[in-house]
Amino acid sequence: MPGPSPGLRRALLGLWVALGLGILGTSEIALEPFWADLQPRVALVERGGSLWLNCSTNCPRPERGGLETSLRRNGTQRGLRWLARQLVDIREPETQPVCFFRCARRTLQARGLIRTFQRPDRVELMPLPPWQPVGENFTLSCRVPGAGPRASLTLTLLRGAKELIRRSFAGEPPRARGAVLTATVLARREDHGVNFSCLAELDLRPHGLGLFEKSSTLRQLRTFALPPIPPSLITPRFLEVGSERLVSCTLDGLFPAPEAGIYLWLGDQRLHPDVTFDKDSLVATAIAMPSAEQEGTRQLMCSVTLGGQSRETQENLTVYSFPAPLLTLSEPEPPEGKVVTISCWAGARALVTLEGISAAVPGQPAELQLNVTENDDKRDFFCDAALEVDGETLRKNQSAELRVLYSPRLDDSDCPRNWTWPEGPEQILRCEARGNPEPSVHCARPDSGAVLALGLLGPVTRALAGTYHCTAVNGQGQAVKDVTLTVEYAPALDSIGCPEHITWLEGTEASFSCVAHGVPPPSVSCVRSGKEEVMEGPLRVAREHAGTYRCEAINARGSAAKNVMVTVEYGPSFEELSCPSNWTWVEGSGRLFSCEVDGKPKPHLECLGSQGAGEGAVLPLVSSNPGPRNSMASSNLSPGIYLCNATNRHGSTVKTVVVNAESPPQMDEFSCPSHQTWLEGAEATALACSARGRPSPRVRCSREGAARLERLLVSREDAGTYRCVATNAHGADSRTVTVGVEYRPVVAELAASPPSVQPGGNFTLTCRAEAWPPAQISWRAPPGALNLGLSSNNSTLSVSGAMGSHGGEYECAATNAHGRHARRITVRVAGPWLWVAVGGAAGGAALLAAGAGLAFYVQSTACKKGEYNVQEAESSGEAVCLNGAGGTPGAEGGAETPGTAESPADGEVFAIQLTTS
């Protein structure tokens, strides 16, 4: 057995809850009132659905109870204080069931509310008109029967996907069902083919249910526009039976033009047009071909339909019958001299005219008789027929050709006696004969039998020229004719008739001849380049006739041109400008004697020595002919008189030339030494520098860099580099000379180092000399001085372990080629001190008194010149510089006696005291 339905289970659950509450409250029965309850109190059920209702009470022992409703019941379940009942097929829009119990002689009631809803299953959009005129209103009507409640219903009218109108029925009575929505819409062109629809929405979401939607079937709208004017019909006024003529019908302002229907009728005959569309225009064309049964006046009608409406137009036209004229010949190809009859007829109503002669009345034929000749061959005969239709005259004509048989004719127009053709291009050679049947023509040369290829395309050559015998033959006879063929060609100038080079001899008589070949014979003219005068007739040859001539040959077929070189020859001759009588040759220049001799052909020139020159010696020429007699080197040219002989085949001539020899400046080590030496203090003179050359060169020397100062005596500042330049009319030569200034030696410095030394110490004597060339240094030491050391150039004397034997006078002497100079320095030992005195005389000793142990320091030459310092030793004191204040030359100190050595000019004496510790 199936279990209880979900609705029943919910009702039972409510009942048990109520009973539980009643049991809990039993003790308070006397205190609380009794009630009846109905669940669900308010319900919304889809139309035709079912519902369980639970009716209960809190009365402990109700006497009786029940559920009152007009709805159909399907089942009931009971308890002591409850009742559950299923209601089915609920269709009423709204009902109020009542739950009641009898308790303690009272009736307890609970009233409920059951409402039904119906989905919008049927949404009906009323059909649209088949065609709707553009610019007119139409009605859209949407109907949704039975759907509800209406207050929850919304209807929307749509054009495509676009909303036109939307209406909600909120506020309608709960029992109201179904809805209708109507709208008036203006038809537009863009609405054509658009789908309209209606959307119904039942929104029960506020009641805990969903949204129910339904759309109607799509309704397509077809709009149209048909102008009020009739179509335009284009048709001829007349139509001939059996002929085809084009008719057309047009209408503008149609929409949609492709959906319009168009019909064309000729009388009761329907035509089948070809229709073309261009935007809102329609053009229908058809071919009308009437039959004999339609002869007479007929109507051509055009009808255009669209949207159930139509526009019509019609035109009248006349259908007529007019056959072509019949033109006949009694004999199509008669022989020459026969009579022929020509006849023409064109129906019962047409008037015919044959060769300008009309028939007597319409419907009768026109005739003509003719005795034919060769001139009538291929003659055309014309027949004109006239027919009057609806006030207009229509015409037709016919022609026929007459062929007359006759023997061949060779006329000059078709086969000329003289043919002239240009050479070269391909031609079709024609010799045509008249005759019927058409004659065959054959042309051959009587002498060689050569045949002309008549009627064929071929090249024209000079070999075709000549006279030909031409014969024309057909079935009626033959004709004969002689023809001469001339081949023309452009002029040609060859080397035989017009040579490229012509040679004349000056003073003779000559004429210019240039012959050209060509047909027709060319005319030839020759003009010298740069001039307009044409060379004609004999002339006396002069040199000015030489040059290039332009010869041009002209005929009807073209022209030819050629350059002709005319050479005028003559004997040799000299001009002073081109071959001078006096020529100066410059030695070393490599120049050759330029002697140009005039003559044609070019003369052979040779210059040989005569007076003052080597007998038979050849003078080299710039343009002389090479040969052993003309190979003398220009460096060996001998001055003197030369005889120049020029020879060609037209004679010879001689000229005397005097040759002088000159040379450009030359300087060498012998005439201008590159190294020269002066002595300081000598008288200042110029550099010893000269140059060879003719004419005699002028020599100038200048110092490079700083200019040399003008002075009487030579100074060391005059040393340096000099540039000497020798010039004459033929060029210049230069040399670089280095000048050195030499001077006597001078001992510039003689010094001792260190300034103080203990016994057994070391000291050094230094001697520096100034001299040029450099001086040789030599020393003179005191006797007994041992262990002396000298540097490589003797400028330094060294002593290691100084002792008393080293005391005494030391002399430094400087010597070169210009003299000798010496200076002396004295080293003296006195007690515990070692004294050193310098000078050219024995200077007086300076007594220094300050007590025992006082050390003295005598300043050396550097004390005066600042070359080195004398420092204090162990005891304090001052360095003393003796400048000859305490002594004189030759005094104590070992000075040289006069004449033996050169002493300082000022007699300076310097002393150094060397102390022990």
Side-chain angles (χ1 to χ4, degrees):
M1 178 178 180
S5 66
L8 177 60
R9 287 197 296 269
R10 288 194 297 271
L12 290 176
L13 179 61
L15 177 61
W16 286 114
V17 172
L19 289 176
L21 294 175
I23 295 171
L24 293 174
T26 304
S27 61
E28 299 179 1
I29 292 177
L31 299 179
E32 293 185 4
F34 299 113
W35 45 258
D37 185 33
L38 181 63
Q39 291 296 329
R41 184 67 61 89
V42 178
L44 185 61
V45 183
E46 187 171 2
R47 186 173 184 272
S50 62
L51 177 69
W52 280 91
L53 290 179
N54 177 34
C55 181
S56 61
T57 181
N58 63 349
C59 180
R61 291 180 177 81
E63 297 176 5
R64 62 184 180 89
L67 182 64
E68 293 182 354
T69 180
S70 60
L71 301 176
R72 289 176 55 192
R73 309 168 188 175
N74 188 32
T76 303
Q77 296 181 9
R78 291 180 178 274
L80 177 63
R81 290 183 293 176
W82 61 274
L83 170 68
R85 180 169 293 162
Q86 185 183 27
L87 305 179
V88 296
D89 195 19
I90 304 173
R91 294 185 177 275
E92 293 292 332
E94 183 177 297
T95 59
Q96 294 184 355
V98 178
C99 170
F100 66 92
F101 285 95
R102 185 74 177 169
C103 179
R105 294 176 296 180
R106 290 177 54 212
T107 301
L108 305 177
Q109 290 185 349
R111 189 177 299 274
L113 178 61
I114 300 176
R115 289 176 177 169
T116 60
F117 72 91
Q118 183 173 342
R119 303 187 189 197
D121 294 329
R122 292 173 55 201
V123 181
E124 301 174 353
L125 182 62
M126 297 299 102
L128 300 177
W131 287 95
Q132 177 65 33
V134 173
E136 296 184 9
N137 292 328
F138 65 96
T139 300
L140 288 176
S141 179
C142 179
R143 177 173 173 271
V144 186
R150 186 185 300 164
S152 300
L153 193 63
T154 300
L155 297 183
T156 305
L157 291 174
L158 300 172
R159 177 193 282 125
K162 185 177 181 181
E163 185 178 292
L164 283 176
I165 186 171
R166 182 182 180 90
R167 180 179 176 185
S168 174
F169 295 91
E172 292 285 334
R175 299 179 64 89
R177 297 290 185 273
V180 175
L181 178 60
T182 302
T184 301
V185 182
L186 181 66
R188 306 174 302 171
R189 284 195 175 204
E190 52 267 31
D191 293 335
H192 179 70
V194 174
N195 291 321
F196 289 81
S197 62
C198 179
L199 173 65
E201 299 171 290
L202 183 62
D203 191 2
L204 299 179
R205 289 176 292 186
H207 302 288
L209 299 176
L211 174 66
F212 302 97
E213 296 178 329
K214 182 72 174 182
S215 293
S216 68
T217 303
L218 297 177
R219 302 286 186 183
Q220 188 181 63
L221 181 65
R222 301 171 70 192
T223 61
F224 75 98
L226 185 64
I229 60 175
S232 175
L233 189 61
I234 300 175
T235 178
R237 286 182 55 195
F238 308 106
L239 280 178
E240 185 178 2
V241 172
S243 65
E244 295 181 351
R245 297 293 298 275
L246 196 68
V247 295
S248 64
C249 180
T250 61
L251 183 61
D252 297 332
L254 284 172
F255 176 80
E259 298 194 30
I262 185 164
Y263 306 94
L264 281 172
W265 294 83
L266 177 59
D268 56 357
Q269 178 188 4
R270 181 175 177 178
L271 306 180
H272 302 282
D274 292 330
V275 184
T276 58
F277 304 97
D278 183 12
K279 297 182 181 178
D280 293 345
S281 299
L282 172 150
V283 178
T285 56
I287 295 176
M289 187 174 69
S291 62
E293 292 78 9
Q294 293 176 305
E295 188 172 356
T297 301
R298 292 287 180 267
Q299 281 189 346
L300 180 67
M301 185 184 70
C302 174
S303 175
V304 179
T305 61
L306 181 62
Q309 301 180 16
S310 65
R311 301 289 184 267
E312 294 183 355
T313 187
Q314 59 185 14
E315 293 285 346
N316 290 333
L317 56 83
T318 301
V319 178
Y320 66 94
S321 177
F322 186 13
L326 179 62
L327 182 60
T328 60
L329 302 175
S330 60
E331 189 173 350
E333 294 186 353
E336 185 179 15
K338 189 170 184 179
V339 177
V340 176
T341 300
I342 302 100
S343 176
C344 182
W345 179 79
R349 296 190 301 122
L351 179 64
V352 297
T353 301
L354 177 62
E355 293 293 307
I357 301 175
S358 301
V361 294
Q364 289 187 356
E367 290 185 350
L368 178 65
Q369 286 188 342
L370 182 66
N371 188 358
V372 298
T373 65
E374 64 173 290
N375 295 328
D376 295 321
D377 185 41
K378 296 184 180 180
R379 177 180 174 182
D380 290 323
F381 291 90
F382 292 91
C383 177
D384 180 73
L387 178 66
E388 187 174 342
V389 178
D390 196 16
E392 285 196 15
T393 301
L394 305 180
R395 295 185 178 277
K396 287 188 176 181
N397 54 62
Q398 186 64 275
S399 65
E401 184 182 63
L402 176 64
R403 298 304 309 271
V404 178
L405 302 177
Y406 61 96
S407 60
R409 311 290 200 269
L410 286 171
D411 299 330
D412 289 343
S413 58
D414 298 324
C415 186
R417 296 183 180 276
N418 292 286
W419 295 339
T420 301
W421 290 330
E423 181 185 35
E426 292 186 335
Q427 301 283 349
I428 297 179
L429 310 179
R430 299 185 183 277
C431 178
E432 298 177 350
R434 292 188 301 107
N436 192 16
E438 184 177 356
S440 63
V441 181
H442 178 267
C443 294
R445 291 178 67 168
D447 52 353
S448 62
V451 177
L452 282 178
L454 299 176
L456 299 178
L457 183 64
V460 176
T461 64
R462 302 178 193 181
L464 294 178
T467 300
Y468 292 82
H469 190 71
C470 296
T471 303
V473 179
N474 69 0
Q476 303 295 318
Q478 70 175 11
V480 178
K481 189 175 189 178
D482 287 336
V483 174
T484 300
L485 173 59
T486 301
V487 177
E488 294 185 347
Y489 50 93
L493 292 169
D494 56 21
S495 299
I496 298 176
C498 190
E500 289 80 4
H501 294 89
I502 298 176
T503 301
W504 293 337
L505 180 60
E506 183 181 29
T508 63
E509 187 176 281
S511 59
F512 205 107
S513 176
C514 186
V515 179
H517 304 285
V519 176
S523 62
V524 181
S525 62
C526 295
V527 178
R528 185 175 179 179
S529 297
K531 297 185 179 181
E532 298 182 357
E533 181 181 359
V534 177
M535 295 293 293
E536 293 179 348
L539 51 87
R540 177 68 62 180
V541 177
R543 299 186 189 183
E544 57 267 21
H545 293 143
T548 301
Y549 290 79
R550 183 71 172 176
C551 294
E552 185 174 16
I554 301 175
N555 69 2
R557 292 303 170 188
S559 63
K562 186 176 186 179
N563 288 335
V564 177
M565 177 68 70
V566 174
T567 303
V568 176
E569 295 186 351
Y570 46 90
S573 62
F574 289 102
E575 296 291 339
E576 183 64 25
L577 289 177
S578 58
C579 188
S581 301
N582 290 280
W583 180 59
T584 300
W585 171 74
V586 179
E587 181 182 357
S589 65
R591 290 177 53 202
L592 301 178
F593 179 54
S594 176
C595 181
E596 296 182 2
V597 59
D598 191 14
K600 284 196 177 181
K602 186 176 181 180
H604 173 75
L605 178 62
E606 188 175 43
C607 296
L608 300 178
S610 178
Q611 302 176 17
E615 188 69 27
V618 177
L619 179 62
L621 302 176
V622 171
S623 58
S624 62
N625 297 325
R629 289 177 55 83
N630 202 22
S631 59
M632 177 189 294
S634 59
S635 59
N636 300 327
L637 184 63
S638 299
I641 298 176
Y642 289 80
L643 296 180
C644 294
N645 185 21
T647 305
N648 67 5
R649 61 172 172 259
H650 301 299
S652 63
T653 185
V654 177
K655 183 169 185 175
T656 301
V657 176
V658 178
V659 177
N660 299 307
E662 294 183 356
S663 60
Q666 286 187 349
M667 292 192 296
D668 53 19
E669 189 67 23
F670 176 78
S671 62
C672 185
S674 60
H675 292 84
Q676 299 186 29
T677 302
W678 292 344
L679 180 62
E680 185 180 33
E683 183 180 356
T685 60
L687 282 173
C689 201
S690 62
R692 299 186 304 277
R694 184 180 298 173
S696 297
R698 179 182 180 184
V699 180
R700 289 190 176 186
C701 296
S702 61
R703 183 175 178 178
E704 293 184 353
R708 178 192 176 196
L709 298 177
E710 295 293 336
R711 53 173 63 89
L712 297 177
L713 301 178
V714 176
S715 172
R716 298 183 191 181
E717 286 79 6
D718 295 334
T721 301
Y722 290 76
R723 183 171 181 80
C724 295
V725 179
T727 57
N728 70 2
H730 301 298
D733 193 11
S734 64
R735 283 183 65 81
T736 299
V737 179
T738 302
V739 175
V741 176
E742 297 184 351
Y743 45 88
R744 300 179 182 87
V746 173
V747 177
E749 179 183 5
L750 181 61
S753 177
S756 64
V757 64
Q758 295 179 357
N762 304 330
F763 70 91
T764 301
L765 301 180
T766 302
C767 179
R768 182 175 64 83
E770 294 180 356
W772 193 262
Q776 299 292 327
I777 303 296
S778 61
W779 291 88
R780 184 171 58 81
L786 303 176
N787 298 325
L788 301 179
L790 295 176
S791 63
S792 60
N793 59 356
N794 290 350
S795 63
T796 301
L797 184 148
S798 300
V799 174
S800 298
M803 297 183 301
S805 60
H806 292 108
E809 186 179 72
Y810 292 82
E811 180 186 83
C812 174
T815 306
N816 71 1
H818 303 297
R820 180 178 183 277
H821 183 255
R823 293 186 69 174
R824 294 180 295 278
I825 182 168
T826 302
V827 177
R828 181 179 301 163
V829 178
W833 298 283
L834 177 64
W835 293 85
V836 180
V838 183
L847 180 62
L848 300 176
L854 181 63
F856 291 92
Y857 299 89
V858 181
Q859 196 173 23
S860 73
T861 306
C863 173
K864 173 185 176 183
K865 297 187 177 181
E867 294 179 0
Y868 68 94
N869 296 325
V870 178
Q871 301 180 354
E872 293 182 354
E874 293 179 356
S875 55
S876 62
E878 292 184 354
V880 179
C881 185
L882 300 180
N883 294 320
T888 59
E892 185 179 11
E896 290 183 349
T897 59
T900 59
E902 185 176 347
S903 302
D906 53 4
E908 295 175 337
V909 177
F910 302 95
I912 295 178
Q913 178 180 346
L914 303 179
T915 64
T916 61
S917 58

